[in-house]
């Protein structure tokens, strides 16, 4: 075979391949179909259970069997994705109408996962059997080949209600995602009926029936007025709150009880909510909490927060709404596959697609049923006619050599070769003209059918068949009749499976939380050499002054209402609210400073400055490793951001010292090679924080500034350098930008 090389642009191949992949994910994996509201994996799991006979009135079967069969026949992807789809369809806290009846540990609302598929069992729910799978034998939908063309699977299930709205859907495709909230089954069926009676009805008209989402977890939708636009466009944000009740507690205390949670809090977010409330208490945002307990059980959610006697309960509840996920937002994007492509739809479009599908299914169903009834009618009429001339039929059967001869006589009146008792019988036999099907039925008819009661039953059955034919023809000929049939089925589903609404829909004013202002007081900030920070009161510091100064790298006073400024070696300034720093006893460990700030990779803290509220009263001295230095007005650091650039650095340079310019008269720079340069602080010029600064000392190629010392007037200061004591006052005073004096160490 001759080799053929096709040259093409690489970018075109990548583009085509990516588009093919994206469309595969969108159509065949991640998004639900607008007609039955199911993703392909969900549809395949339900159909496989139907094929395996795991119906609602049959015993449970192992989930592993269902997953394995689905994967082998219809869904050649990971077993975990199939099992996860099965699990979600059993969870009544995620689905308004579970489609699978699970037996065993299928997870819970608090985020615990389901047991392994080898332990759990499942079977179809009755609603699934009746409303999704019961008509599959009536040629109501097209069957398509599976992935290896060894099986057939339905392209869509004949759902009898808009499951897309009732159960909602969530999925992430390529470049798009769907997020549809669940709704109340009874309200949705009422809206479908209203649409069928008046197809010009608007979304506003449909909202007379569908009040809004109905989450399985209950809760309160607080922006009722926004729902109309959401339901018209298919996109928007729904604000939901948990349900809070106030109860009397022990010793005159008050209990705030959360009995319903927002739908978005399902899973790990319940434990996160508890941690958030605890964090609010630890950070002194509130001091009203005495105890938090999660008393949830199979009966429902019950989270109890015990408050102090004098607590402002309303303000505390509003704080929960503002500071935790007790009030949250559900993003709506009603995206589904319609006519083979993804489309964002409002509720009217979703209902329209489902109703159109219902009519298609009904037409195919009753066309099939009519064909079956006509076939039954043909056979019944043949049997009744045969019973009227049963003696002749028996004579033909007894006189024929084989079945073919008897059948030819019954169908075509051929009498050659058949032995008759009389000429009259032969003449009558020649006039017979049964159809092929009638003749087969006569030849297979049993003698007990000749009993009077059996014959009467056959006549009654024929009358019933005629009535069915008339009814089916009426349904197929008149759209009103077909619509009434669909409405009757919807009414039956509503009666059998409808439930009361759980979610309250109303307009609620935004929660107003008034944060109690802490009483302003002076505190001492302490940070040890390991980077653990804490605050203590002044009296405690005075009692432990010597230990505090010796054990901590940074010790200074600040207001508890202010902010602490921390400069790093990379030239960044991080500000931290003093309120975020733990306040306690002297021997408390504190918290790592990077846990309460935006540190991101800086090697170490260079210096912690005074409270930010007082920075504009000071000037700051900056010194870098390459001896660049400047004085910056503290007011430049009075900013709202938590992290800003504090200075401009050259490449490979870093800050080694930042201090508040107070009473320092002289500065001493010490290099790594042992050079010391002392000069007056007044030689350092004032610059903007965005400036690099001026050179403080001439350095050799490999030398760098290692330490910076400051001398106040009238104070002696001795340092230790390589085990040699050096009196800084005795160093020769020089000018800035000199080389300095090298200290010899023997």
């Amino acid at each position: 075979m001759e080799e053929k090389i096709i040259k093409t642009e690489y970018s075109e191949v990548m583009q085509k391949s990516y588009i093919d992949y994206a469309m595969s994910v969108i159509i065949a994996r991640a998004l639900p179909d607008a007609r039955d509201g199911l993703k392909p994996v969900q549809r395949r799991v339900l159909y496989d259970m139907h094929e395996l006979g795991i119906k609602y009135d049959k015993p449970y079967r192992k989930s592993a069997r269902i997953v394995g069969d689905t994967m082998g026949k219809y869904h050649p992807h990971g077993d975990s994705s199939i099992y996860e789809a099965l699990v979600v369809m059993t969870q009544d806290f995620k689905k308004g109408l579970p489609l699978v009846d699970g037996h065993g540990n299928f997870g819970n609302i608090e985020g615990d996962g389901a047991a392994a598929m080898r332990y759990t069992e499942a079977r179809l729910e009755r609603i699934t059997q009746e409303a999704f799978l019961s008509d599959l034998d009536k040629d109501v939908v097209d069957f398509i080949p599976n992935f290896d063309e060894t099986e057939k699977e339905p392209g869509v299930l004949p759902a009898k209600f808009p499951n897309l709205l009732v159960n909602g859907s969530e999925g992430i495709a390529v470049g798009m995602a769907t997020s549809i909230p669940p709704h109340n089954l009874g309200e949705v069926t009422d809206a479908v009926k209203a649409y069928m009676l008046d197809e010009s009805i608007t979304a506003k008209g449909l909202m007379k029936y569908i009040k809004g989402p109905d989450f399985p977890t209950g809760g309160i939708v607080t922006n009722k007025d926004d729902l109309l636009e959401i339901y018209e466009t298919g996109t928007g944000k729904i604000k939901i709150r948990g349900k809070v009740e106030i109860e009397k507690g022990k010793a005159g205390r008050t209990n705030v009880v959360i009995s319903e949670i927002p739908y978005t809090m399902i899973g790990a977010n319940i434990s996160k909510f508890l941690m958030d409330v605890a964090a609010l208490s630890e950070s002194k945002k509130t001091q009203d909490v005495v105890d938090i307990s999660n008393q949830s059980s199979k009966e429902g959610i019950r989270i109890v927060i015990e408050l102090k006697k004098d607590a402002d309960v309303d303000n505390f509840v509003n704080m929960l709404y503002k500071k935790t996920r007790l009030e949250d937002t559900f993003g709506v994007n009603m995206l589904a596959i319609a006519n083979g492509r993804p489309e964002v739809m409002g509720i009217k479009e979703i209902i329209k697609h489902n109703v159109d599908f219902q009519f298609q299914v009904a037409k195919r169903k009753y066309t099939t049923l009519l064909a079956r009834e006509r076939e039954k009618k043909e056979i019944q009429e043949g049997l009744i006619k045969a019973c009227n001339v049963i003696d002749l039929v028996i004579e033909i059967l007894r006189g024929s050599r084989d079945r073919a001869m008897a059948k030819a006589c019954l169908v075509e009146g051929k009498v050659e070769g058949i032995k008759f008792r009389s000429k009259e019988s032969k003449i009558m036999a020649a006039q017979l003209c049964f159809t092929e099907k009638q003749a087969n039925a006569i030849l297979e008819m049993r003698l007990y059918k000749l009993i009077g009661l059996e014959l009467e039953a056959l006549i009654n059955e024929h009358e019933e068949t005629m009535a069915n034919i008339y009814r089916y023809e009426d349904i197929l000929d008149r759209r009103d009749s077909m619509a009434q049939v669909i409405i009757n089925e919807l009414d039956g589903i509503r009666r059998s499976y409808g439930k009361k609404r759980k979610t309250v829909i109303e307009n609620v004013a935004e929660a107003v939380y008034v944060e109690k202002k802490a009483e302003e007081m002076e505190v001492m900030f302490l940070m040890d050499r390991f980077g653990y920070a804490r605050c203590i009161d002044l009296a405690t510091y005075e009692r432990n002054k010597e230990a505090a100064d010796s054990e901590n790298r940074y010790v200074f006073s600040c207001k508890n209402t202010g902010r602490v400024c921390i400069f790093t070696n990379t030239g960044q300034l991080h500000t931290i609210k003093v309120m975020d720093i733990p306040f306690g006893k002297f021997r408390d460990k504190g918290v790592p400073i990077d846990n309460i700030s935006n540190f991101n990779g800086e090697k170490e803290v260079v210096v912690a400055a005074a409270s930010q509220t007082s920075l504009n009263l000071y000037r700051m001295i900056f010194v870098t490793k390459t001896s660049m230095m400047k004085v910056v007005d503290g007011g430049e650091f009075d900013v709202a951001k938590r992290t800003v650039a504090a200075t401009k650095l050259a490449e490979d340079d870093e800050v080694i010292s930042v201090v508040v310019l107070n009473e320092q008269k002289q500065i001493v720079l010490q290099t790594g090679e042992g050079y010391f340069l002392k000069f007056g602080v007044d030689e350092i010029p004032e610059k903007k924080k965005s400036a690099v600064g001026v050179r403080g000392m001439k350095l050799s190629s490999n030398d760098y500034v290692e330490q910076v010392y400051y001398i106040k007037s009238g104070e002696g200061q001795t340092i230790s350098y390589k085990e040699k004591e050096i009196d800084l006052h005795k160093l020769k005073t020089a000018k800035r930008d000199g080389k300095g004096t090298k200290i010899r160490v023997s």
Side-chain angles (χ1 to χ4, degrees):
M1 183 175 175
E2 186 179 346
E3 186 178 290
K4 186 177 181 181
I5 298 175
I6 300 174
K7 292 186 178 181
T8 184
E9 187 68 31
Y10 182 72
S11 60
E12 292 177 5
V13 174
M14 287 297 294
Q15 183 179 9
K16 182 180 183 302
S17 299
Y18 186 76
I19 290 173
D20 291 344
Y21 161 74
M23 290 306 297
S24 173
V25 172
I26 291 167
I27 304 297
R29 295 288 290 276
L31 300 185
D33 194 295
R35 296 169 293 178
D36 61 5
L38 298 171
K39 298 178 185 179
V41 63
Q42 296 172 324
R43 187 179 304 117
R44 288 164 177 167
V45 168
L46 297 179
Y47 178 66
D48 185 74
M49 293 177 73
H50 174 69
E51 285 292 284
L52 290 173
I54 316 174
K55 301 180 181 179
Y56 67 90
D57 53 354
K58 295 291 190 294
Y60 295 94
R61 298 282 288 277
K62 284 289 186 185
S63 300
R65 172 65 195 276
I66 298 167
V67 171
D69 206 61
T70 303
M71 182 167 58
K73 287 183 178 179
Y74 309 115
H75 199 73
H77 303 287
D79 57 355
S80 59
S81 64
I82 301 172
Y83 184 51
E84 185 179 346
L86 174 67
V87 168
V88 170
M89 287 193 288
T90 68
Q91 295 175 329
D92 57 2
F93 52 86
K94 282 190 179 177
K95 296 293 182 183
L97 193 67
L99 302 179
V100 176
D101 180 9
H103 183 244
N105 177 15
F106 277 91
N108 59 36
I109 195 170
E110 295 185 25
D112 297 324
M117 68 180 82
R118 60 182 178 275
Y119 300 120
T120 60
E121 298 176 332
R123 65 183 178 189
L124 292 169
E125 286 279 7
R126 185 170 182 174
I127 177 69
T128 313
Q129 194 65 41
E130 293 179 356
F132 287 83
L133 301 162
S134 60
D135 291 334
L136 282 177
D137 60 341
K138 300 179 180 68
D139 190 34
V140 291
V141 294
D142 292 331
F143 277 70
I144 57 177
N146 69 340
F147 63 92
D148 61 359
E149 298 189 359
T150 57
E151 301 279 346
K152 292 281 189 178
E153 62 175 306
V156 64
L157 294 184
K160 295 181 179 178
F161 60 88
N163 179 56
L164 189 64
L165 286 177
V166 173
N167 273 326
S169 186
E170 289 185 4
I172 300 173
V174 178
M176 59 184 69
T178 184
S179 179
I180 304 171
H183 295 79
N184 185 271
L185 175 64
E187 293 179 3
V188 171
T189 54
D190 288 344
V192 172
K193 286 158 58 179
Y195 173 81
M196 292 176 69
L197 295 173
D198 178 14
E199 293 188 359
S200 64
I201 191 170
T202 60
K204 187 175 183 179
L206 290 170
M207 285 187 66
K208 292 178 181 177
Y209 307 95
I210 300 177
K211 307 300 181 186
D214 188 22
F215 298 105
T217 55
I220 304 166
V221 171
T222 62
N223 58 333
K224 180 180 178 181
D225 288 346
D226 296 338
L227 294 181
L228 177 58
E229 183 179 354
I230 292 171
Y231 283 149
E232 283 178 339
T233 62
T235 60
K237 292 182 179 179
I238 296 173
K239 294 180 181 178
I240 45 179
R241 283 183 181 178
K243 185 178 179 182
V244 176
E245 298 169 353
I246 309 300
E247 297 179 357
K248 288 186 178 179
K250 298 176 182 178
R253 294 172 179 161
T254 303
N255 288 345
V256 173
V257 180
I258 298 159
S259 56
E260 294 178 3
I261 59 173
Y263 187 64
T264 52
M265 201 192 281
I266 289 174
N269 285 323
I270 293 180
S271 58
K272 186 179 185 306
F273 169 75
L274 298 173
M275 292 170 62
D276 287 345
V277 176
L280 288 171
S281 183
E282 289 174 3
S283 63
K284 310 298 181 184
K285 290 278 194 273
T286 177
Q287 298 182 1
D288 296 332
V289 178
V290 176
D291 186 41
I292 312 167
S293 60
N294 186 1
Q295 302 174 12
S296 304
S297 63
K298 291 181 179 179
E299 281 68 44
I301 292 292
R302 182 176 170 83
I303 299 171
V304 181
I305 304 173
E306 189 176 353
L307 303 182
K308 293 178 180 177
K309 288 183 183 179
D310 57 347
D312 185 342
V313 178
D314 291 338
N315 195 51
F316 177 79
V317 172
N318 284 341
M319 182 190 70
L320 294 181
Y321 288 144
K322 298 290 283 186
K323 303 285 187 180
T324 72
R325 297 192 72 168
L326 190 60
E327 180 176 270
D328 208 354
T329 300
F330 182 94
V332 177
N333 187 39
M334 296 199 284
L335 177 71
I337 303 300
N339 300 321
R341 63 186 184 87
E343 184 179 336
V344 177
M345 296 172 281
I347 53 168
K348 181 176 178 180
E349 287 76 21
I350 292 175
I351 290 174
K352 178 182 183 302
H353 279 291
N354 183 261
V355 169
D356 291 346
F357 178 58
Q358 293 276 22
F359 276 102
Q360 292 173 16
V361 168
K363 183 177 181 181
R364 292 180 64 161
K365 174 183 175 180
Y366 288 105
T367 299
T368 301
L369 290 177
L370 179 60
R372 291 178 184 176
E373 291 298 315
R374 284 175 173 167
E375 186 176 338
K376 283 169 63 178
K377 172 195 168 210
E378 180 183 341
I379 293 171
Q380 288 164 356
E381 288 177 345
L383 292 176
I384 292 170
K385 182 179 174 183
C387 287
N388 292 334
V389 291
I390 192 63
D391 293 335
L392 177 60
V393 171
I394 292 172
E395 194 172 338
I396 293 170
L397 295 176
R398 293 184 66 180
S400 300
R401 288 195 309 273
D402 53 30
R403 179 188 174 99
M405 183 178 287
K407 185 178 178 181
C409 181
L410 293 172
V411 175
E412 303 172 15
K414 292 182 179 180
V415 295
E416 291 80 8
I418 301 175
K419 296 178 182 179
F420 292 96
R421 291 182 180 178
S422 64
K423 277 189 174 182
E424 290 80 6
S425 297
K426 188 174 183 179
I427 293 169
M428 291 176 63
Q431 296 173 1
L432 294 176
C433 57
F434 290 100
T435 66
E436 189 93 11
K437 291 178 182 177
Q438 289 173 339
N440 286 330
I442 292 168
L443 292 171
E444 293 169 1
M445 183 176 66
R446 298 187 178 183
L447 289 176
Y448 78 87
K449 289 287 186 181
L450 301 176
I451 299 171
L453 290 176
E454 289 293 328
L455 184 58
E456 186 179 340
L458 180 61
I459 294 171
N460 292 337
E461 189 180 335
H462 179 253
E463 290 175 355
E464 184 181 338
T465 300
M466 293 303 295
N468 285 340
I469 290 173
Y470 174 77
R471 178 166 165 264
Y472 296 158
E473 287 177 341
D474 180 62
I475 290 171
L476 291 168
D477 291 342
R478 297 176 59 241
R479 185 177 175 86
D480 289 348
S481 297
M482 188 177 288
Q484 191 58 50
V485 169
I486 296 172
I487 288 173
N488 291 341
E489 287 182 338
L490 288 170
D491 287 338
I493 291 171
R494 193 188 200 288
R495 281 193 302 271
S496 300
Y497 306 104
K499 297 177 183 176
K500 287 181 65 177
R501 161 175 281 280
K502 291 183 178 180
T503 302
V504 177
I505 309 292
E506 56 187 34
N507 285 313
V508 179
E510 186 175 351
V512 177
Y513 164 57
V514 180
E515 190 168 350
K516 292 181 181 178
K517 290 186 177 180
E519 184 180 345
E520 189 173 85
M521 60 182 286
E522 195 87 12
V523 296
M524 293 300 296
F525 172 86
L526 309 177
M527 190 172 78
D528 63 22
R529 59 194 179 92
F530 300 107
Y532 281 79
R534 64 197 186 280
C535 288
I536 58 175
D537 60 54
L538 291 176
T540 303
Y541 171 71
E542 291 299 332
R543 289 195 301 271
N544 302 274
K545 186 176 187 304
E546 186 176 340
D549 291 344
S550 62
E551 295 173 5
N552 294 281
R553 291 173 65 195
Y554 303 112
V555 180
F556 56 82
S557 65
C558 55
K559 298 287 186 183
N560 64 334
T561 54
R563 292 173 180 259
V564 168
C565 292
I566 299 178
F567 297 88
T568 70
N569 62 326
T570 58
Q572 297 293 305
L573 165 63
H574 299 282
T575 61
I576 304 170
K577 288 183 179 179
V578 178
M579 285 291 186
D580 293 340
I581 303 169
F583 181 88
K585 299 176 182 178
F586 176 68
R587 288 299 173 190
D588 287 349
K589 189 175 183 180
V591 296
I593 199 72
D594 52 356
N595 284 9
I596 52 176
S597 64
N598 286 343
F599 283 177
N600 184 22
E602 288 101 336
K603 286 192 299 185
E604 61 182 60
V605 175
V606 174
V607 67
S611 170
Q612 187 184 23
T613 54
S614 61
L615 275 179
N616 55 0
L617 303 177
Y618 298 104
R619 295 187 299 159
M620 316 293 294
I621 302 176
F622 283 77
V623 181
T624 74
K625 192 174 181 179
T626 60
S627 88
M628 302 305 293
M629 57 199 323
K630 64 183 174 181
V631 174
V632 181
D633 188 282
E636 290 201 43
F637 305 115
D638 190 6
V639 293
K641 289 184 178 180
R642 292 185 64 187
T643 301
V644 295
T647 186
K648 185 176 181 180
L649 292 172
E651 190 175 352
D652 297 329
D653 199 4
E654 62 179 88
V655 178
I656 62 167
S657 174
V658 180
V659 297
V660 174
L661 178 58
N662 194 358
E663 298 177 358
Q664 301 95 326
K665 295 298 183 182
Q666 292 178 310
I667 182 172
V668 179
L669 303 181
Q670 174 212 316
T671 73
E673 293 181 355
Y675 285 90
F676 285 76
L677 177 66
K678 182 172 78 172
F679 57 90
V681 170
D682 55 3
E683 291 190 48
I684 306 173
E686 184 169 329
K687 300 277 187 180
K688 294 290 184 181
K689 68 177 183 179
S690 57
V692 175
V694 298
R695 189 169 65 181
M697 185 178 185
K698 291 178 181 176
L699 301 173
S700 59
S701 58
N702 296 321
D703 204 3
Y704 60 92
V705 176
E706 186 176 61
Q707 291 288 346
V708 180
Y709 306 101
Y710 294 94
I711 304 173
K712 294 182 180 179
S713 60
E715 285 187 2
Q717 188 173 351
T718 303
I719 65 165
S720 178
Y721 174 69
K722 293 185 179 181
E723 300 181 357
K724 180 177 181 178
E725 298 295 321
I726 299 175
D727 187 346
L728 296 181
H729 275 279
K730 292 183 178 180
L731 290 175
K732 179 183 176 183
T733 302
K735 292 289 186 181
R736 180 182 63 79
D737 202 23
K739 188 170 183 181
T741 305
K742 185 174 178 66
I743 301 296
R744 303 289 178 180
V745 180
S746 57

